[in-house]
Amino acid sequence: MKDNRVCLYSHVENKSVFKNVCFYRDDLIALERNYNQALATNSYVELIKFKPSLVVSYFFTWSLLVAFLGRFIGFRVIIIGMGDQISPDVYNGLRLLLCKITAFLCLLLSEKILVSCSNDKNNLYKLCFGFNFLKKKIRLENLVVVPFQYKETREHKNFKALTICWLGNEKNLIRKGVDCSIRLIFLLRSIGINASLDIAGLDGPGKTIINKLIEEYQLKNYVNYIGFISESEKNALMSSHSVYLQLSDYEGFGMAALEALFSGMVVIHSNAGGLKDHIGSNGIITDKQKIYDSNLNYIAKIYSSFLEHSIDQKYMLNEIEKYSIRRRSAAFL
């Protein structure tokens, strides 16, 4: 039976994000299965006025106040923990310490924290100091991935690659391995492979690095920044391209990479964080250092693996169920 009211909270600038960003949109749909009224908001005041029985809040930094309000006013709080905030692979020093303190307080005050990869779960376990009642609050749950139409037959001899990255700052572009992806295209072309790359994502300072690398490697006709894309445009790109590149230093989940896998693309990835959990050997795992070192034998091996790579479609259909709205809805109960 449905409960009464649930609120999805995230500290975003514009509420349109709740409709346009897939993990917010799909989580809201999952919540609506269990509750009579569901509100998505970026306002603490609106949250309080709504009088929810449950709040699902995103990111530790902005969820701490929500967790305090829950204790004070009397609503339950589930936090969607994006584990890069407490990962030494991403932050260090004082910033990492402050993020860990915030995450610990969130863990103490909330009902549970949902994480999307085992690496995040292990990092949170370290903050439990051996207390089982805290460990029991940490749940490994998949995000929703709505697959595009599976396209089994592609022009696999054509290494036509795609990657999606927010370019809001240069650090994120490096963390997502876009620089390494561009270098991979350069090295493939240097051994005679017809390789190209389209880079999609919201514009920002990171574009400067892309332009610099395109000029340095003389890839003007082979690497293109195509800007922000809609869901329908993403669907079209994943149908027309053969490879998805996700060479991240750290990846909490890897949603776009998993969407690409489910659409029939060959995913070449770093196996970092959630990529190891959700893709692993279903894609082609790379050693980024060998790409940076210009190991041409290794580059040829990547291309050979790309040509030979295949995934059983029946297996893929079974995998998709693990990321369904139905399973996500059950995770919130």
Side-chain angles (χ1 to χ4, degrees):
M1 180 180 293
K2 286 188 177 182
D3 203 340
N4 41 15
R5 298 182 178 211
V6 62
C7 180
L8 186 152
Y9 174 83
S10 185
H11 187 79
V12 295
E13 291 185 10
N14 194 306
K15 290 183 183 179
S16 64
V17 169
F18 295 123
K19 292 182 179 179
N20 297 329
V21 175
C22 52
F23 62 83
Y24 288 131
R25 178 200 63 210
D26 295 334
D27 273 358
L28 192 59
I29 293 171
L31 288 166
E32 286 171 342
R33 288 190 168 204
N34 303 324
Y35 291 83
N36 292 323
Q37 296 183 60
L39 170 72
T41 185
N42 56 357
S43 166
Y44 291 123
V45 174
E46 195 171 43
L47 182 157
I48 294 168
K49 288 182 177 178
F50 185 63
K51 298 181 179 178
S53 57
L54 169 69
V55 175
V56 175
S57 184
Y58 288 80
F59 308 109
F60 296 127
T61 304
W62 301 105
S63 295
L64 183 56
L65 180 55
V66 174
F68 272 115
L69 288 172
R71 289 283 180 167
F72 181 73
I73 298 173
F75 54 76
R76 295 179 297 128
V77 176
I78 294 175
I79 295 173
I80 309 299
M82 303 302 181
D84 58 343
Q85 294 178 297
I86 56 168
S87 172
D89 295 325
V90 180
Y91 296 135
N92 53 46
L94 180 59
R95 185 170 185 178
L96 178 61
L97 176 62
L98 292 173
C99 287
K100 284 184 174 182
I101 292 171
T102 302
F104 172 75
L105 292 173
C106 285
L107 181 61
L108 198 64
L109 295 171
S110 65
E111 180 176 277
K112 58 185 174 182
I113 293 178
L114 305 184
V115 295
S116 55
C117 78
S118 56
N119 193 52
D120 293 350
K121 183 180 179 181
N122 292 336
N123 284 333
L124 271 174
Y125 267 13
K126 293 174 184 177
L127 301 181
C128 294
F129 302 105
F131 290 107
N132 285 328
F133 82 97
L134 290 177
K135 288 183 178 180
K136 287 179 180 178
K137 292 185 177 187
I138 303 166
R139 297 286 299 277
L140 183 61
E141 298 286 352
N142 294 331
L143 294 175
V144 175
V145 178
V146 180
F148 302 122
Q149 184 175 0
Y150 184 87
K151 187 176 180 181
E152 188 171 8
T153 304
R154 295 174 185 267
E155 296 180 35
H156 280 300
K157 290 186 178 180
N158 183 6
F159 196 99
K160 189 176 181 182
L162 171 70
T163 193
I164 300 173
C165 177
W166 175 66
L167 304 181
N169 59 59
E170 294 181 356
K171 184 178 179 180
N172 189 62
L173 180 136
I174 300 299
R175 181 172 73 89
K176 291 285 187 176
V178 178
D179 62 323
C180 191
S181 296
I182 296 172
R183 183 169 181 80
L184 175 61
I185 299 301
F186 166 71
L187 294 173
L188 284 166
R189 296 197 66 82
S190 72
I191 59 171
I193 306 302
N194 182 22
S196 64
L197 171 64
D198 285 329
I199 303 166
L202 199 61
D203 199 352
K207 186 180 175 182
T208 303
I209 295 179
I210 293 174
N211 290 335
K212 181 180 178 181
L213 290 173
I214 289 173
E215 183 178 353
E216 179 183 340
Y217 295 136
Q218 298 181 6
L219 292 172
K220 184 177 181 181
N221 297 321
Y222 309 108
V223 175
N224 301 297
Y225 169 65
I226 57 179
F228 174 79
I229 55 172
S230 65
E231 287 293 301
S232 60
E233 288 170 328
K234 180 167 66 174
N235 188 355
L237 287 167
M238 288 188 174
S239 294
S240 63
H241 289 59
S242 55
V243 185
Y244 191 88
L245 297 178
Q246 192 73 68
L247 305 182
S248 307
D249 293 328
Y250 181 89
E251 195 69 45
F253 183 74
M255 181 172 287
L258 198 53
E259 288 174 336
L261 182 72
F262 288 160
S263 76
M265 298 178 76
V266 177
V267 178
I268 297 177
H269 67 101
S270 60
N271 212 35
L275 296 171
K276 182 178 181 179
D277 292 319
H278 305 294
I279 298 180
S281 59
N282 287 319
I284 298 172
I285 300 170
T286 60
D287 183 336
K288 290 181 65 177
Q289 191 56 52
K290 289 182 180 180
I291 297 174
Y292 285 126
D293 291 344
S294 301
N295 185 326
L296 296 185
N297 288 332
Y298 183 72
I299 300 304
K301 184 180 177 181
I302 290 176
Y303 183 67
S304 177
S305 298
F306 157 69
L307 292 177
E308 297 169 0
H309 194 74
S310 64
I311 299 174
D312 181 74
Q313 188 176 359
K314 185 177 180 181
Y315 166 80
M316 191 63 63
L317 291 173
N318 290 332
E319 280 291 293
I320 288 171
E321 169 58 23
K322 297 178 182 179
Y323 303 89
S324 66
I325 291 280
R326 181 186 65 80
R327 290 184 71 113
R328 187 64 169 176
S329 181
F332 287 126
L333 290 177

